[in-house]
Amino acid sequence: MAEHESLEFGKADFVLLDNVSMEEFMSNLKLRFEKGRIYSYIGEVVVSVNPYRAMNIYGRDTIEQYKGRELYERPPHLFAIADAAYKAMKRRNKDTCIVISGESGAGKTEASKYIMQYIAAITNPNQRAEVERVKNMLLKSNCVLEAFGNAKTNRNDNSSRFGKYMDINFDFKGDPIGGHINNYLLEKSRVIFQQPGERSFHSYYQLLKGAPDSLLRSLHIQRDPTAYNYIKVGGQIKSGINDGADFKAVADAMKVIGFTGDEIQTVYKILATILHLGNLTFGVDGDVTLIENTKLVSVIRELLSTKEENVEKALLYRTVATGRDVIEKQHTTQEASYGRDALAKAMYERLFCWIVGRINDIIEVKNYDARVHGKNTVIGVLDIYGFEIFQNNSFEQFCINYCNEKLQQLFIQLVLKQEQEEYQREGIPWKHIDYFNNQIIVDLVEQQHKGIFSVLDEACMNVGKVTDEVFLQGLNGKLAKHAHYTSRKLSPTDKSLEFDRDFRIRHYAGDVVYSVVGFIDKNKDTLFQDFKRLLYNSSNPVLKGMWPEGKLSITEVTKRPLTAATLFKNSMISLVENLACKEPYYVRCIKPNDVKSPLLFEQERCRHQVEYLGLLENVRVRRAGFAYRQTYPRFLQRYKMISEFTWPNHDLPSDKDAVKRLLQGCGFDHDVAYGKTKVFIRTPRTLFSLEEQRVEMVQRIVLFLQKVWRGTIARMRYRRMRAALVILQAYRRYKVKSYIREVNRRFKNVRSMKDYGRHVKWPTPPKVLRKFEDALRSIYNRWWAWTLIKGLSPEEALQVRAKVASLEALKGQRADLGLQRAWEGNYLVSGWDSPDTASSFTLVSSELQRKDKFMRVLFSCNVRKINRFHKAEDRAVLITDRHLYKMDPLKQYKPMKSIPLYNVTGLSVSPGKDQLVVFHTKDSRDLVVCLQGMVPANESRIGELVGTLLSHFKSKILSRTMNCVVSQYSASVNECCFLIITSSLHVV
């Protein structure tokens, strides 16, 4: 049973129909077509319906889905049957064949291409160059044969007008090593005549549309197909066929296969010659027959590489041998036209056969010794015309339908034989199956002395004028009592038959009426020996080799050639014998409608095809015993989940016992039989019931597997995350330890360094330790600051505090704070500003200390005082720990004003380089002065004044500043402490 298709698409295998009837069969076929399922099975037979649209089911992905799979494991497909044939050939070392049949337009040619494509795709896995070359030539041969053997018809744009059987040879490894092609019954009448709406063979139109101008000039032909009588009917048709592109593809394919340049040129010359022959016309001058357009004779002479007089003579005369005498008989215009058309048909047929033979010469297996290389096995692919019923069925349709009778006979026999052999192998009792045996129809056609072919040959051998009516009379005489033959003479009341023209045969596919008109001429297939000698005597070796019988002189030609009917009968007998010795696989192609619509399914038309393909008969044969059979291991593998005794694995003695236990548990034991290696199920209903139970259990199993798998994935993800975390933690510890070791190494001896490690570069910390590094740097800075400060005297410590306070207050506000020098504070005593008056100031200062009882002088210097009237005067400022004094330096530093420090509310300085200072007081009588005096390096005293006052007052700024210096080692300490302290130490 085909896997992976639900019943919404119908039954994939017709053997599983509930009721075997034409209505059920057609209903299922239509449903599958409408659902886009163009392939179905009848056991191991593929039924293919032409979809008339491109389908994405032939790509590399699809090939991989069918490669090495059993037939039932995937939905029905051509690839499945191709793989089954290939496996049978490779595994069992047995020759196989694939028979493709169906009417014109049913998709036989495309099916054979896809089968070849699949076989090419799955072989030669090692890419051996020689095998690839053979595969490429086998695929390219299709392109060439289609160009010369296919034509556009009213039913099909690429209709095969010949039968083809290709053998593909494989070595013991299963790789293609060569092949051979047989062709059957080319429709050569199409060379000179086509029905309205049809074309001649593709090769003509490809040459006219695709050849370069230089080639056309050398062949003396033009691009317009309507200029040539033989193909002008097809030249008037508008078609979607790209003849120009096809010409190039065919030319490239011929080169790949191995045709030489001269051979390809000869092919073009023969095509051009046939076109020119069709334009030859004959007239009469008295009793003499003449060629009216003699210029074409010289063109034909040039193309055939022969003499002009020989061409003209062969067209107008016929050489006849009477005993030892040889005479030349002039043609009538009718005989000349007949000879011209016969020559055109024969040249094209011989060209086609030569192309097939040339391909065979190139692709045949060479230098293959079975004793050295192993057995050579074969897969055959038969693409043959299907049963045809037209309004006017001629000799060609008769031969085609006879061919289908032979193949249908072989088909039924082989299917029955396979069924019987399988039953015997498995020990299942065989019951006789009634079926229509068409041997009686085959005998009606081919039986010696009594068959239609024999009667036709006898009529052709009669002396004198033989007509088609004489042939029909012979049939009526010999077949009058045959149950499957009738004519108007034998059934006078049957008005569907014409007197002296029609006869009817009851084929297995239905009744067909044939017209005898043309049977005699087509069977004789007369070609005057003069034409054969003309072509043999060509100086073109390729053309000469196509006509070896032209070597004989007229007196040597005595043996009557075989008729077309006999040749075709012999080829069919040989073909059937060849197929009978192989294991056959079948593809039955159906054409859903005549308008090439992908949506239309014409019920009646498809019904007729089902009948003449014998598909319903095939279903009945398969269903006569058991509808389904499968080996025990594969049956168990598919259905073991249904039973608790077989899931997940059984412990019974054998798979056969396990299958028995499973079916007994389901209650189907009455509807099955157990063979040696297979279980046989009688009715489809049992199989469908098993499938329903399987689907139900599969859903539960899938849920269980999903649960287990999701749990497994979660655990795997957890273990990976945990492992990643452990690795990450270990790596972090490693980086932390490495960083700490490196810090320890670099700062190991900082105590003994002159700058206590200030020059040491810090290592780059890992990301996780960036905050730690900040803290570590702070700790280092704290230690470093403490190390420097602890060695200072109390006076130096006060100065450091003042400088830090100044930096905290004025950093970023003034550029010059005087941090790099020692701060004197009491400049009027030290003599920096006025050495001459220092003693006077000292006396005044002492007197003020005695009077106001201050503890120490914080700051003193000369200033320039600016009053509210903007008047500037020289003054001096003395700041103690209790008062701010304004003095007059010109009067021996006499105090002019005393302001208690607790009345000072603020101090303002400018951001520039000036020395302007404003002392703000509670009574808003601010003191505005500009500091003066000689300062080392011309540095400002503003920073010193601000720092000294801030460090004196017990304010929040002072507290925060001192904490930064001693405890918090703030950013200001980090930036300036080293500079301040080192400069202070230097001054001290």
Side-chain angles (χ1 to χ4, degrees):
M1 182 175 182
E3 176 71 291
H4 303 308
E5 281 198 334
S6 66
L7 291 179
E8 68 172 301
F9 302 113
K11 294 184 172 66
D13 194 333
F14 286 100
V15 174
L16 302 179
L17 291 174
D18 293 329
N19 298 308
V20 181
S21 65
M22 181 59 75
E23 289 70 24
E24 286 274 339
F25 190 99
M26 295 305 301
S27 176
N28 190 60
L29 186 67
K30 181 181 180 182
L31 175 62
R32 291 186 63 74
F33 174 76
E34 291 173 346
K35 294 288 187 179
R37 299 303 193 266
I38 63 172
Y39 297 118
S40 307
Y41 287 143
I42 302 177
E44 295 183 350
V45 175
V46 172
V47 179
S48 170
V49 183
N50 193 337
Y52 286 121
R53 59 189 171 95
M55 300 191 72
N56 187 25
I57 56 172
Y58 305 103
R60 186 71 206 183
D61 292 342
T62 308
I63 290 174
E64 291 299 324
Q65 291 175 15
Y66 285 86
K67 183 178 179 181
R69 305 293 289 270
E70 296 300 327
L71 199 66
Y72 71 90
E73 289 186 283
R74 303 295 299 163
H77 201 290
L78 284 173
F79 291 167
I81 207 78
D83 195 78
Y86 180 74
K87 286 202 301 283
M89 179 274 298
K90 189 174 181 181
R91 292 176 181 176
R92 301 200 296 271
N93 205 24
K94 189 171 185 178
D95 292 345
T96 61
C97 65
I98 301 173
V99 180
I100 308 171
S101 59
E103 72 170 53
S104 178
K108 301 185 300 297
T109 301
E110 291 302 308
S112 67
K113 286 184 190 176
Y114 288 131
I115 288 172
M116 293 285 292
Q117 170 191 326
Y118 180 81
I119 292 174
I122 65 173
T123 54
N124 193 29
N126 297 325
Q127 297 294 306
R128 287 190 294 160
E130 177 60 21
V131 175
E132 285 299 306
R133 185 187 69 85
V134 171
K135 283 178 14 180
N136 198 23
M137 287 194 298
L138 290 172
L139 294 175
K140 293 294 185 182
S141 67
N142 278 327
C143 175
V144 177
L145 294 179
E146 281 185 20
F148 291 90
N150 289 24
K152 182 190 182 318
T153 67
N154 290 320
R155 296 185 172 191
N156 185 3
D157 285 350
N158 189 32
S159 176
S160 296
R161 308 318 299 161
F162 71 106
K164 179 182 72 175
Y165 175 75
M166 174 183 282
D167 269 333
I168 307 172
N169 298 87
F170 296 84
D171 60 15
F172 71 98
K173 297 188 295 299
D175 292 332
I177 55 174
H180 186 84
I181 300 171
N182 290 322
N183 62 293
Y184 304 98
L185 194 66
L186 177 71
E187 189 191 16
K188 60 183 179 180
S189 62
R190 183 170 292 271
V191 174
I192 63 170
F193 174 78
Q194 304 94 43
Q195 296 288 344
E198 297 190 349
R199 301 202 318 178
S200 187
F201 295 100
H202 294 323
S203 53
Y204 292 113
Y205 307 97
Q206 291 174 3
L207 176 63
L208 296 182
K209 298 293 185 181
D213 293 335
S214 58
L215 176 58
L216 295 182
R217 284 194 298 270
S218 68
L219 300 175
H220 304 284
I221 56 178
Q222 54 184 299
R223 294 199 182 277
D224 184 11
T226 59
Y228 303 99
N229 292 329
Y230 281 160
I231 65 169
K232 66 181 181 181
V233 174
Q236 298 168 353
I237 301 171
K238 292 184 178 180
S239 170
I241 301 173
N242 191 340
D243 294 307
D246 291 344
F247 174 82
K248 185 177 186 307
V250 172
D252 293 341
M254 294 179 76
K255 292 176 183 177
V256 170
I257 292 171
F259 286 84
T260 65
D262 290 341
E263 290 173 338
I264 295 175
Q265 285 298 316
T266 301
V267 170
Y268 297 150
K269 288 180 180 180
I270 292 174
L271 294 177
T273 298
I274 295 173
L275 293 178
H276 291 307
L277 280 173
N279 287 355
L280 279 177
T281 57
F282 300 95
V284 179
D285 184 8
D287 294 333
V288 179
T289 303
L290 300 173
I291 298 175
E292 294 182 334
N293 38 359
T294 55
K295 289 184 179 180
L296 289 179
V297 177
S298 61
V299 172
I300 293 172
R301 188 271 320 160
E302 178 186 338
L303 295 174
L304 296 180
S305 302
T306 186
K307 296 180 180 178
E308 185 172 340
E309 58 269 22
N310 291 346
V311 175
E312 186 172 351
K313 183 178 178 181
L315 289 168
L316 297 177
Y317 295 89
R318 178 186 177 190
T319 304
V320 181
T322 58
R324 294 185 178 180
D325 297 329
V326 178
I327 60 174
E328 291 182 351
K329 180 185 175 183
Q330 187 175 20
H331 290 316
T332 64
T333 55
Q334 183 179 0
E335 289 172 340
S337 298
Y338 174 86
R340 174 202 63 199
D341 292 344
L343 174 61
K345 291 188 292 184
M347 286 183 69
Y348 194 85
E349 181 187 39
R350 194 63 62 93
L351 170 65
F352 184 76
C353 293
W354 175 82
I355 289 174
V356 173
R358 188 74 182 89
I359 294 174
N360 286 335
D361 291 340
I362 296 171
I363 67 175
E364 69 177 354
V365 180
K366 300 177 180 66
N367 303 321
Y368 194 91
D369 188 347
R371 294 172 298 178
V372 177
H373 303 100
K375 186 178 183 299
N376 177 342
T377 48
V378 168
I379 292 180
V381 179
L382 177 64
D383 175 8
I384 201 83
Y385 13 65
F387 203 89
E388 292 187 347
I389 304 176
F390 298 116
Q391 291 294 328
N392 183 23
N393 296 288
S394 62
F395 177 74
E396 286 85 1
Q397 276 71 49
F398 179 77
C399 291
I400 287 171
N401 292 343
Y402 157 68
C403 167
N404 278 270
E405 290 284 357
K406 291 284 290 182
L407 294 176
Q408 178 67 11
Q409 179 196 29
L410 175 68
F411 173 65
I412 295 296
Q413 286 179 350
L414 289 177
V415 169
L416 284 173
K417 181 182 177 183
Q418 287 175 341
E419 288 284 296
Q420 187 173 2
E421 287 178 351
E422 185 171 33
Y423 279 47
Q424 290 173 350
R425 282 197 307 269
E426 296 296 325
I428 304 295
W430 170 259
K431 294 187 299 184
H432 175 71
I433 299 174
D434 290 327
Y435 67 96
F436 175 71
N437 189 342
N438 63 342
Q439 182 62 49
I440 187 173
I441 302 174
V442 173
D443 291 340
L444 169 65
V445 177
E446 70 178 18
Q447 189 176 18
Q448 291 289 338
H449 309 301
K450 295 181 181 179
I452 295 175
F453 279 159
S454 294
V455 176
L456 181 59
D457 285 348
E458 288 176 10
C460 291
M461 288 187 291
N462 288 337
V463 179
K465 187 172 179 67
V466 181
T467 63
D468 296 318
E469 290 77 12
V470 172
F471 161 60
L472 183 57
Q473 291 172 10
L475 291 180
N476 291 335
K478 290 194 176 184
L479 302 175
K481 296 182 180 180
H482 200 288
H484 292 266
Y485 173 86
T486 189
S487 66
R488 185 65 184 271
K489 182 178 180 180
L490 300 178
S491 302
T493 59
D494 189 348
K495 294 185 179 181
S496 63
L497 301 172
E498 290 286 338
F499 278 109
D500 297 330
R501 192 192 74 179
D502 297 339
F503 67 92
R504 180 191 295 120
I505 292 180
R506 186 180 302 164
H507 288 281
Y508 77 93
D511 294 351
V512 183
V513 176
Y514 299 97
S515 170
V516 297
V517 176
F519 265 61
I520 295 294
D521 280 343
K522 291 177 180 178
N523 188 47
K524 283 183 177 180
D525 197 21
T526 304
L527 179 68
F528 301 137
Q529 188 69 18
D530 302 78
F531 290 125
K532 298 178 183 178
R533 285 193 291 272
L534 170 70
L535 297 172
Y536 174 77
N537 290 321
S538 168
S539 60
N540 184 331
V542 179
L543 182 61
K544 181 185 179 87
M546 295 183 189
W547 298 90
E549 65 270 39
K551 180 179 181 181
L552 301 175
S553 66
I554 186 62
T555 56
E556 294 178 293
V557 181
T558 56
K559 186 176 180 181
R560 184 187 297 271
L562 295 177
T563 62
T566 300
L567 289 172
F568 186 71
K569 180 184 72 174
N570 293 342
S571 66
M572 285 298 102
I573 292 173
S574 174
L575 173 63
V576 168
E577 290 175 350
N578 189 9
L579 296 177
C581 66
K582 294 178 171 61
E583 184 174 317
Y585 295 84
Y586 293 92
V587 179
R588 304 301 214 188
C589 299
I590 293 177
K591 182 179 181 180
N593 57 74
D594 281 326
V595 294
K596 303 173 185 174
S597 168
L599 304 175
L600 181 61
F601 186 89
E602 295 179 353
Q603 192 91 5
E604 196 59 31
R605 154 170 268 291
C606 294
R607 183 189 183 103
H608 288 317
Q609 295 178 74
V610 169
E611 288 175 347
Y612 74 66
L613 287 171
L615 300 183
L616 198 61
E617 191 78 18
N618 186 198
V619 175
R620 290 194 177 103
V621 170
R622 290 282 298 187
R623 282 285 297 272
F626 296 88
Y628 178 79
R629 70 289 311 267
Q630 190 53 262
T631 58
Y632 292 119
R634 290 196 175 275
F635 184 89
L636 202 59
Q637 181 182 3
R638 184 167 182 80
Y639 299 109
K640 64 181 180 178
M641 69 288 297
I642 294 175
S643 173
E644 60 180 329
F645 299 105
T646 55
W647 178 260
N649 294 300
H650 69 85
D651 56 359
L652 296 169
S654 66
D655 288 343
K656 181 177 180 179
D657 294 327
V659 172
K660 283 184 178 181
R661 190 67 175 270
L662 186 153
L663 292 171
Q664 287 170 359
C666 295
F668 299 139
D669 200 40
H670 65 283
D671 199 39
V672 299
Y674 302 101
K676 295 177 181 177
T677 63
K678 292 182 179 181
V679 59
F680 290 75
I681 298 178
R682 191 178 306 279
T683 60
R685 181 51 50 200
T686 297
L687 189 63
F688 291 143
S689 180
L690 287 171
E691 281 294 318
E692 289 171 359
Q693 295 181 53
R694 178 182 181 275
V695 169
E696 182 182 350
M697 290 303 300
V698 165
Q699 291 177 352
R700 295 167 62 181
I701 292 170
V702 167
L703 289 175
F704 173 75
L705 292 176
Q706 285 178 339
K707 179 183 72 172
V708 173
W709 179 240
R710 285 170 180 164
T712 301
I713 291 176
R715 285 188 289 273
M716 291 170 60
R717 186 182 295 118
Y718 168 74
R719 284 194 289 268
R720 286 197 299 268
M721 292 173 62
R722 185 177 179 182
L725 182 60
V726 170
I727 294 172
L728 182 61
Q729 289 174 341
Y731 180 72
R732 282 180 175 176
R733 287 195 298 270
Y734 162 74
K735 294 294 287 184
V736 167
K737 291 179 180 179
S738 298
Y739 174 74
I740 292 175
R741 289 194 191 100
E742 183 64 18
V743 171
N744 183 57
R745 184 186 67 80
R746 294 189 182 188
F747 288 88
K748 186 176 181 180
N749 299 315
V750 291
R751 293 178 185 274
S752 58
M753 295 178 183
K754 185 177 180 180
D755 61 353
Y756 300 105
R758 198 69 180 174
H759 71 283
V760 176
K761 184 178 179 181
W762 287 78
T764 303
K767 187 175 181 180
V768 71
L769 291 182
R770 286 179 183 173
K771 291 185 178 180
F772 174 76
E773 184 202 29
D774 294 339
L776 197 61
R777 283 177 179 265
S778 298
I779 293 172
Y780 167 76
N781 289 334
R782 180 180 177 182
W783 170 85
W784 175 81
W786 176 82
T787 302
L788 292 179
I789 290 173
K790 72 176 181 178
L792 298 178
S793 65
E795 294 77 11
E796 292 171 341
L798 287 174
Q799 190 174 129
V800 168
R801 290 191 186 100
K803 289 184 176 181
V804 170
S806 176
L807 181 65
E808 282 287 333
L810 300 179
K811 179 182 178 182
Q813 303 297 324
R814 289 182 67 93
D816 181 18
L817 299 180
L819 300 177
Q820 295 184 353
R821 62 180 178 81
W823 288 356
E824 289 293 331
N826 197 351
Y827 288 98
L828 295 177
V829 172
S830 62
W832 277 100
D833 289 355
S834 302
D836 298 336
T837 60
S839 58
S840 299
F841 175 78
T842 302
L843 292 174
V844 173
S845 176
S846 299
E847 182 63 23
L848 289 175
Q849 185 177 18
R850 182 186 64 78
K851 178 183 177 182
D852 294 334
K853 298 181 172 49
F854 60 83
M855 298 298 297
R856 66 186 183 92
V857 176
L858 301 180
F859 184 83
S860 68
C861 74
N862 291 321
V863 298
R864 190 82 168 159
K865 184 233 179 201
I866 302 172
N867 61 19
R868 61 181 179 275
F869 302 108
H870 305 292
K871 184 179 179 181
E873 297 175 338
D874 289 330
R875 294 285 184 268
V877 172
L878 169 65
I879 303 173
T880 68
D881 54 1
R882 298 190 67 177
H883 290 84
L884 167 63
Y885 300 98
K886 181 176 69 171
M887 300 177 173
D888 187 351
L890 299 179
K891 295 181 180 182
Q892 302 297 315
Y893 291 99
K894 177 183 178 180
M896 299 178 66
K897 185 177 183 179
S898 173
I899 303 173
L901 280 187
Y902 56 80
N903 281 340
V904 177
T905 60
L907 184 70
S908 294
V909 297
S910 72
K913 293 184 178 182
D914 57 77
Q915 301 292 305
L916 187 66
V917 179
V918 179
F919 295 94
H920 302 283
T921 62
K922 289 181 181 181
D923 56 5
S924 299
R925 299 179 68 181
D926 298 344
L927 177 63
V928 182
V929 298
C930 183
L931 304 184
Q932 289 183 328
M934 296 297 294
V935 180
N938 296 319
E939 292 179 352
S940 171
R941 292 178 180 174
I942 293 291
E944 181 177 356
L945 173 61
V946 172
T948 301
L949 289 177
L950 287 176
S951 65
H952 172 72
F953 286 105
K954 304 294 185 179
S955 63
K956 294 181 179 180
I957 297 176
L958 176 60
S959 177
R960 183 170 66 250
T961 304
M962 294 310 296
N963 286 336
C964 288
V965 175
V966 179
S967 304
Q968 299 297 325
Y969 41 89
S970 65
S972 55
V973 175
N974 295 339
E975 293 182 12
C976 74
C977 199
F978 177 76
L979 179 61
I980 296 169
I981 296 173
T982 50
S983 62
S984 300
L985 291 174
H986 176 73
V987 173
V988 172

